Amino acid sequence: MKRVDVVLGLQWGDEGKGKVVDVLTPRYDAVARFQGGPNAGHTLEFDGCKYILRSIPSGIFQGGKVNIIGNGVVLDPILFRNEAEELAKSGHDLTKRLCISKKTHLIMPTHRLLDAAYEAAKGANKIGTTGKGIGPAYTDKISRNGVRAGDIFLDFKNIYAKAKARHEAILSSLNYPCDVAALEAEWFEAIEYMKRFSIIDSEQTVNDMLAADKSILAEGAQGTLLDVDFGSYPFVTSSNTVCAGVCTGLGVAPGRIGEVYGIFKAYCTRVGSGPFPTELFDETGKRLRDIGHEYGAVTGRERRCGWLDMVALKYAVMIDGATALIMMKSDVMNDFDVIKVAVAYDTPQGRTTVFPYNIESGVTPVYREFKGWKCDLRKVRRYEDFPQEFKDYVSFIEQQTGIPVKIISVGPDREDTIVR
Ligand code: GDP
Ligand code: IMO
Ligand code: MG
């Protein structure tokens, strides 16, 4: 019986999951998203083309693999349709190889309004969400009021109307205008469009595939530090982005999890509000943003940038049970004289290497400095050919985490990847 391997983010998202899933897909029979929704923006580049995927798994470009949107995902039919139609226009018709779980929850137009209304009500304490209705859709799921993909074959109009009436009451209590007429028509058209795809009991499909010795790669969205339980709460997303989310988000037992690839950037970024101990507000932070093109794939927002944070990385490795590491975007620091890594935090209670509960109350990172490699890593294709300064950086991360760095990415293209 095969196991499910996992690619998931170890930081605050945007680590490069889409690129890596695409690179790894040839090894697998299927790729499955297990949580998140169109808050994700996964970028893939190959053959001079660039694609940004939001709800559709990143395994669609490598041959005829099965791609699954799992039960743990929240799906916006309108955004899904736009995404699938764009792909069809560029020659990637997915109707035969993309399936959606019947238990996937649907994002309604009123969920987007609720997202905006809750953010407005929070004022200065807003989360800085992507505005895609993620939190409200997961809230409905947990409060047992959600609308699921499988419902579209039932008394759907009625199920929808009940959910909408509840949302309208909340919006009215928040004095937030509720005008979804235009979006609603588009939403129902998109529901009809969804019927072209197989809407299935995906937990059954996934387990049948494993029993038939077929391999599956689970693709995470967001990152461990945005997890609703273990992230910097409340500045998190509303799903379990950690490895345990694969079990609930696809219906696979814990013992069926195989390799867990934890992916991180050679530095750190974060979009939206919330604590970020190693954030740089100076020229170096600006350089990381400019050279790394650190702007949100979905919202275009500037990503906050800072040094690699080993305290946070080790915490994520622990929670996820990472068995292999993947380091991205090392090339962004090609010209840096000095590269820093946080190895501890100074807190009012003293120095710690444990990720603290009240991180938002302010911690001061303690840095270790590394000599920059000062050469163009993008040209390198074999690990042996990396400069010694770069190898020292990688060895330090391996020694600190106890996990091997098995893949190194030195550019956005599929080809800019070194597998050890
Ligand atoms: P994801 O959400 O984890 O899939 O990551 P995003 O796509 O949001 O952000 C990663 C960005 O970095 C994208 O623009 C990628 O094209 C780009 N990228 C990925 N790997 C590398 C790399 O090794 N070097 C550089 N310079 N860019 C990369
Ligand atoms: P990928 O999969 C980076 C952030 C938002 C916000 C918080 C909550 O591309 O790595 P939400 O809309 O989920 O309620 O917003 O989470 N966020 C992401 N940041 N990458 C993502 O996805 C993100 N998805 C959500 O900016 O701070
Ligand atoms: Mg992204």
Side-chain angles (χ1 to χ4, degrees):
M1 183 129 173
K2 276 266 166 35
R3 289 169 187 229
V4 177
D5 289 349
V6 184
V7 167
L8 49 73
L10 295 175
Q11 296 166 321
W12 282 284
D14 302 329
E15 295 90 350
K17 299 172 291 292
K19 168 181 165 163
V20 161
V21 168
D22 172 62
V23 168
L24 291 176
T25 296
R27 301 184 189 178
Y28 296 89
D29 296 299
V31 176
R33 278 277 304 269
F34 60 92
Q35 47 69 233
N39 47 350
H42 294 180
T43 315
L44 291 79
E45 288 190 39
F46 54 89
D47 300 341
C49 295
K50 178 172 168 173
Y51 300 91
I52 298 176
L53 300 176
R54 299 167 74 171
S55 302
I56 293 175
S58 302
I60 52 167
F61 296 109
Q62 301 267 22
K65 310 286 177 168
V66 178
N67 283 267
I68 300 168
I69 296 179
N71 59 280
V73 172
V74 286
L75 189 68
D76 183 327
I78 296 178
L79 297 179
F80 169 74
R81 179 189 182 173
N82 292 347
E83 194 176 331
E85 283 188 337
E86 277 302 309
L87 288 164
K89 265 192 235 154
S90 55
H92 302 280
D93 178 7
L94 304 178
T95 43
K96 295 276 179 301
R97 52 201 176 91
L98 178 68
C99 358
I100 303 167
S101 166
K102 284 182 192 163
K103 299 187 174 73
T104 301
H105 279 249
L106 298 180
I107 301 177
M108 296 167 50
T110 36
H111 283 134
R112 288 201 217 171
L113 292 183
L114 284 167
D115 198 351
Y118 289 138
E119 282 285 82
K122 277 183 182 276
N125 297 322
K126 69 174 185 182
I127 309 292
T129 72
T130 55
K132 303 289 177 246
I134 305 295
Y138 276 117
T139 302
D140 274 357
K141 172 176 175 171
I142 300 301
S143 64
R144 296 157 295 183
N145 289 309
V147 176
R148 301 188 292 177
D151 292 345
I152 67 182
F153 302 109
L154 306 178
D155 183 11
F156 189 59
K157 286 250 149 80
N158 197 19
I159 295 171
Y160 172 84
K162 277 193 186 142
K164 184 186 163 192
R166 269 189 324 94
H167 297 164
E168 281 171 333
I170 303 170
L171 287 163
S172 148
S173 75
L174 292 167
N175 287 324
Y176 204 85
C178 178
D179 180 12
V180 286
L183 270 182
E184 198 167 51
E186 199 183 346
W187 196 81
F188 276 101
E189 278 170 30
I191 291 288
E192 286 309 308
Y193 177 80
M194 269 175 65
K195 291 180 180 166
R196 300 174 189 196
F197 296 84
S198 304
I199 300 183
I200 57 166
D201 294 304
S202 65
E203 66 278 28
Q204 198 62 49
T205 308
V206 163
N207 283 284
D208 288 350
M209 285 187 78
L210 295 177
D213 232 21
K214 296 226 159 77
S215 54
I216 299 175
L217 182 63
E219 173 181 5
Q222 292 78 56
T224 302
L225 304 176
L226 287 171
D227 179 86
V228 67
D229 279 276
F230 300 105
S232 42
Y233 192 89
F235 300 101
V236 293
T237 191
S238 298
S239 65
N240 280 119
T241 60
V242 296
C243 187
V246 177
C247 298
T248 54
L250 289 178
V252 289
R256 300 261 172 274
I257 302 293
E259 188 96 86
V260 181
Y261 292 100
I263 170 166
F264 66 100
K265 284 181 196 174
Y267 50 95
C268 276
T269 64
R270 175 165 202 169
V271 211
S273 322
F276 180 179
T278 60
E279 182 168 12
L280 292 166
F281 300 95
D282 58 4
E283 197 50 37
T284 309
K286 191 173 170 309
R287 264 179 96 193
L288 285 171
R289 179 156 50 248
D290 290 346
I291 303 171
H293 304 293
E294 296 295 357
Y295 296 90
V298 173
T299 57
R301 288 182 292 176
E302 268 191 5
R303 294 179 185 147
R304 300 153 63 193
C305 297
W307 297 120
L308 184 65
D309 185 338
M310 198 51 70
V311 180
L313 193 72
K314 286 200 303 205
Y315 179 73
V317 164
M318 172 183 81
I319 297 291
D320 292 313
T323 57
L325 296 179
I326 302 178
M327 184 160 87
M328 313 296 287
K329 301 192 91 161
S330 332
D331 55 297
V332 172
M333 299 195 290
N334 279 347
D335 289 327
F336 284 34
D337 295 321
V338 173
I339 291 166
K340 295 188 192 180
V341 178
V343 291
Y345 298 149
D346 277 337
T347 75
Q349 291 75 39
R351 187 162 289 189
T352 181
T353 53
V354 176
F355 199 64
Y357 174 76
N358 56 342
I359 190 166
E360 65 279 5
S361 69
V363 297
T364 309
V366 179
Y367 287 111
R368 174 167 169 165
E369 291 193 2
F370 291 81
K371 196 162 168 273
W373 37 87
K374 303 283 278 178
C375 73
D376 187 1
L377 298 183
R378 273 190 83 163
K379 298 206 170 77
V380 178
R381 285 294 173 268
R382 297 183 317 164
Y383 189 76
E384 307 83 86
D385 298 337
F386 278 125
Q388 192 54 44
E389 290 84 352
F390 180 73
K391 287 184 188 160
D392 289 345
Y393 193 69
V394 174
S395 301
F396 175 74
I397 293 164
E398 291 184 322
Q399 171 252 317
Q400 285 277 309
T401 57
I403 311 289
V405 176
K406 288 201 180 162
I407 299 176
I408 291 169
S409 170
V410 292
D413 195 274
R414 205 187 250 174
E415 302 297 320
D416 303 325
T417 315
I418 292 96
V419 181
R420 288 169 86 187

